[in-house]
Amino acid sequence: MNSTPLWLSALADAARTMPVPEPMRPPARGGRESAVLILFGETDRGPDLLLIQRKAGLRRHAGQPAFPGGRIELTDPSPEAAALREAEEETGAIPAGIDVVGRLPELYLSFSDFRVAPVLGWWREPSEVRAADVDEVAAVSRVPIADLADPANRVKVRYGDGSMWGPGFRVDGMLVWGFTGKIIDELLVLGGWELPWRVRGLTDEFEATPQGLRPVG
């Protein structure tokens, strides 16, 4: 069995108190409780993250890459249990092979009114994954941290009223941005993986529109 690596334990300690941007701070009341699983594994290329791509045509976050997760049900004893359940339902990942190592501060998605508990996990015994929930998941990927940190794969995405910018990542045929992109960006910093961005003017930029992302310029 692979015990939790020291780098992930250190990352979990740092992530517990990471600063939360004001727009992502949960309101005092309200919001639907949910959880996502930020699952780290290890391959011959080093650490990786498990991501899904949601199917096109969904009412919320259609076509977007994301961490496995969803709403916390009354039958879930904890956010950690909900994150593991959702990951199994969406990707087939077996919870018995996953160790929960921590949790990030609660975050808020104003667009969908979700209060999100991001749960950190270690894939002690990796299992085969696939798009298990065919109604919601189009694809499942294990994305190397090295690819996410590579400056050549990093982009900027403009959204909201056009005045807000966020990080994005072009990996494994996906453009990861928004809530998931922000968390990954912060984890790269906390984990010591962040590399300098490309020279200004050479970094690609995109804009989020109702029809999807479009290149800027």
Side-chain angles (χ1 to χ4, degrees):
M1 294 185 180
N2 297 321
S3 60
T4 303
L6 292 178
W7 60 262
L8 184 52
S9 296
L11 175 60
D13 288 340
R16 288 188 184 97
T17 57
M18 76 177 207
V20 177
E22 187 171 349
M24 299 180 73
R25 295 174 188 168
R29 296 180 181 178
R32 293 174 290 183
E33 293 188 342
S34 64
V36 297
L37 181 64
I38 304 172
L39 183 58
F40 284 93
E42 186 84 35
T43 69
D44 55 1
R45 293 193 58 199
D48 65 2
L49 275 174
L50 180 67
L51 296 178
I52 66 170
Q53 182 153 23
R54 301 203 176 278
K55 292 192 73 170
L58 296 177
R59 191 157 58 96
R60 297 187 183 93
H61 311 295
Q64 288 189 24
F67 298 114
R71 191 164 186 172
I72 298 175
E73 304 292 346
L74 293 176
T75 52
D76 293 317
S78 65
E80 287 79 5
L84 291 171
R85 173 184 56 76
E86 286 282 347
E88 182 177 23
E89 291 175 359
E90 293 182 336
T91 74
I94 299 175
I98 299 171
D99 293 334
V100 172
V101 297
R103 196 198 302 179
L104 278 62
E106 187 180 47
L107 304 172
Y108 181 62
L109 289 175
S110 59
F111 174 78
S112 52
D113 192 36
F114 274 116
R115 308 174 71 103
V116 184
V119 176
L120 282 174
W122 168 242
W123 218 346
R124 173 174 35 85
E125 296 180 1
S127 50
E128 182 181 352
V129 288
R130 65 195 188 285
D133 186 343
V134 295
D135 292 327
E136 294 195 8
V137 180
V140 176
S141 298
R142 294 186 63 173
V143 181
I145 294 296
D147 289 349
L148 292 164
D150 187 344
N153 295 333
R154 304 199 67 176
V155 301
K156 294 181 179 180
V157 179
R158 185 169 65 192
Y159 54 94
D161 61 2
S163 63
M164 300 174 64
W165 290 86
F169 306 85
R170 286 192 292 202
V171 288
D172 202 15
M174 302 182 294
L175 178 51
V176 185
W177 64 287
F179 172 81
T180 307
K182 287 182 179 180
I183 292 181
I184 290 174
D185 188 58
E186 186 64 31
L187 292 174
L188 291 178
V189 175
L190 294 175
W193 297 302
E194 185 184 38
L195 297 173
W197 284 62
R198 289 185 292 172
V199 177
R200 185 176 181 179
L202 295 179
T203 300
D204 293 335
E205 299 177 354
F206 291 81
E207 181 177 21
T209 71
Q211 292 75 38
L213 295 176
R214 68 174 182 82
V216 175

